Amino acid sequence: MKKISVIIPCYNVEKEIDRCIQSLVDQTILLSQMELIFVDDASEDATMEKLSKWEEQYPESILVIHCEENGKQGTARNIGMQYATGEYIGFVDSDDYVEPEMYQKMCRIADQEQVDVVGCLYVREEENGSVVMDAQEREDAGRSIRINSEEDRKRLMTVGLPGGVWSAIYRREILMDHQLWFPEKIRYEDNYWGAFLLHAISGYYIINKPFYHYVVHDSSTIMQKDSMHHLDRLVIELMKVEEYERRGLLEKYHDEIEMGFLQLYFINTIRILFVRFREIPYDIIYTMQDNVKELFPDYQKNPYLEKLPQLQRELLKMVEIPLDKEKIDILAQGYRKVLRDWQKENGMLG
């Protein structure tokens, strides 16, 4: 058994993949303890050729799997997990890279603290290496956090884990025992997977250092303009509600699930529609209003609402406002101005 299996979905990343792989083979943990599983998701460029060369160079530690049909990251990660044999599993996006000591320190802490998840902070940067967003420190970092009660679980659901699925390692036994698989052939699959991970773990540890470099490209999923895949996030959130109910969790954690739905389904999606779409899909907003009121008719009584930042509370008011296209355009222009002003104040715009 390897100590850790790292799963890397790859799709048309011929320009970035060498940097990613180099950062993995340069880890301070012995390469013989690592299992690097690259899943080529039917790339149309030279990604597969590059992966094959790396596999030839490190045949004992690198496994390359080629898919004939593109199934998106969820499918690729699921395939990788089926091949993984490590005590721990990690994920890396193929256009990102990691610090050399990341996995050695994570595995050591996981062993010492006997926790199911060890995460780290991350920095968000542009292709040229300039930092877009510094690591955000957390109050619960640097110590083991145990989940011993419903209240502990509720707190975890409200604070979440830092970064994405890529900034942590997970005890493989936990993932397999709880059948934690990603939704396939759909974007924003990590929003689903991460939500149910929180109900499977008994403890976690966050290293208070940024070991992961999340690189933002103009072609990145989150950056693309006018792309309908942004609406996949709505489907994912509806899937989550259905699965919460199936698992008997909706009543027990109602307020926390409701708050997460309001943020991810409505507030965050509105922000994306305002910023990433030149022509806003108005009908989608009307559907969002209806779904919030249908699924969570008493959402305005949620005790977590008062903790929302002011701007998020303002966006949430759109659920109840009768909207026509003109009003939506005015609200979008106002939000973009507020965002630009905030970015200027924080040195994110020239």
Side-chain angles (χ1 to χ4, degrees):
M1 179 189 289
K2 299 281 189 176
K3 189 66 179 177
I4 181 167
S5 301
V6 184
I7 299 166
I8 309 97
C10 304
Y11 178 69
N12 290 351
V13 285
E14 61 178 1
K15 295 179 180 179
E16 300 88 10
I17 191 60
D18 287 333
R19 178 181 60 183
C20 176
I21 299 176
Q22 194 68 58
S23 76
L24 292 170
V25 300
D26 286 345
Q27 289 292 297
T28 55
I29 190 174
L30 291 174
L31 191 56
S32 61
Q33 292 186 301
M34 297 184 73
E35 182 178 55
L36 305 177
I37 304 174
F38 294 88
V39 183
D40 176 57
D41 196 16
S43 293
E44 299 170 336
D45 61 1
T47 296
M48 185 61 195
E49 288 82 350
K50 288 196 169 189
L51 292 176
S52 297
K53 289 180 180 179
W54 281 99
E55 185 179 30
E56 290 174 7
Q57 188 174 354
Y58 298 99
E60 299 301 317
S61 296
I62 290 182
L63 171 65
V64 176
I65 303 163
H66 176 68
C67 300
E68 294 294 337
E69 179 183 350
N70 181 268
K72 300 186 172 57
Q73 282 195 326
T75 305
R77 287 175 178 151
N78 287 343
I79 291 171
M81 282 198 287
Q82 292 175 50
Y83 281 85
T85 65
E87 182 179 357
Y88 301 104
I89 286 179
F91 302 98
V92 171
D93 284 356
S94 52
D95 51 356
D96 298 337
Y97 64 102
V98 298
E99 291 294 318
E101 65 270 35
M102 176 170 168
Y103 288 117
Q104 182 181 38
K105 291 195 173 182
M106 283 184 163
C107 289
R108 183 183 300 155
I109 289 174
D111 287 344
Q112 291 174 347
E113 302 294 331
Q114 288 296 294
V115 290
D116 299 323
V117 178
V118 177
C120 68
L121 307 183
Y122 73 101
V123 293
R124 183 170 166 177
E125 59 187 53
E126 294 181 346
E127 296 176 65
N128 61 9
S130 60
V131 174
V132 177
M133 186 178 73
D134 287 317
Q136 305 295 307
E137 295 192 2
R138 296 189 29 138
E139 294 181 358
D140 55 353
R143 56 194 173 93
S144 295
I145 306 295
R146 306 293 175 183
I147 314 300
N148 296 317
S149 66
E150 268 188 37
E151 291 306 311
D152 290 342
R153 190 82 58 193
K154 289 178 179 180
R155 183 198 60 78
L156 176 58
M157 292 175 69
T158 58
V159 301
L161 295 170
V165 301
W166 28 259
S167 58
I169 65 171
Y170 314 89
R171 196 176 299 277
R172 184 170 66 91
E173 183 181 17
I174 292 296
L175 304 187
M176 297 300 104
D177 286 350
H178 289 82
Q179 292 292 293
L180 289 174
W181 304 102
F182 291 88
E184 300 191 354
K185 298 186 177 181
I186 188 170
R187 308 277 188 173
Y188 297 95
E189 74 291 334
D190 47 348
N191 286 358
Y192 182 98
W193 190 85
F196 294 101
L197 172 76
L198 301 182
H199 291 275
I201 64 176
S202 61
Y204 67 92
Y205 189 108
I206 297 171
I207 301 173
N208 209 15
K209 290 183 179 179
F211 287 148
Y212 194 95
H213 295 261
Y214 182 83
V215 183
V216 179
H217 306 269
D218 290 338
S219 59
S220 296
T221 298
I222 64 169
M223 298 298 291
Q224 290 177 15
K225 295 282 189 180
D226 299 319
S227 179
M228 297 307 288
H229 75 241
H230 289 302
L231 304 183
D232 284 358
R233 61 184 295 117
L234 300 175
V235 179
I236 287 290
E237 294 309 311
L238 294 173
M239 289 172 59
K240 282 166 59 177
V241 172
E242 184 177 333
E243 183 64 11
Y244 279 130
E245 192 162 18
R246 190 188 72 80
R247 295 188 182 205
L249 298 171
L250 188 55
E251 184 175 352
K252 184 185 294 186
Y253 300 103
H254 177 274
D255 290 344
E256 292 74 28
I257 291 171
E258 180 179 70
M259 190 67 248
F261 185 83
L262 294 175
Q263 288 181 295
L264 293 173
Y265 182 85
F266 195 86
I267 296 172
N268 289 5
T269 305
I270 287 291
R271 290 155 68 169
I272 288 173
L273 296 180
F274 283 177
V275 174
R276 302 282 170 227
F277 283 79
R278 283 172 285 236
E279 185 173 340
I280 297 171
Y282 305 104
D283 289 345
I284 296 298
I285 294 179
Y286 303 145
T287 300
M288 290 163 59
Q289 289 177 310
D290 292 340
N291 283 341
V292 170
K293 288 184 280 192
E294 179 182 347
L295 291 172
F296 297 102
D298 298 321
Y299 75 91
Q300 292 178 327
K301 299 177 183 177
N302 191 292
Y304 295 105
L305 283 179
E306 61 184 28
K307 298 180 181 180
L308 281 178
Q310 180 63 34
L311 184 55
Q312 291 190 31
R313 289 202 297 271
E314 293 300 318
L315 290 175
L316 189 59
K317 288 180 181 178
M318 288 178 60
V319 174
E320 303 295 335
I321 298 175
L323 296 172
D324 54 25
K325 294 181 180 181
E326 184 179 359
K327 284 184 180 178
I328 292 175
D329 287 339
I330 292 171
L331 290 169
Q333 291 169 12
Y335 178 78
R336 291 169 191 148
K337 182 181 185 306
V338 170
L339 180 62
R340 283 195 301 270
D341 292 345
W342 179 85
Q343 289 173 328
K344 285 181 181 179
E345 290 176 7
N346 288 273
M348 297 173 69
L349 289 177

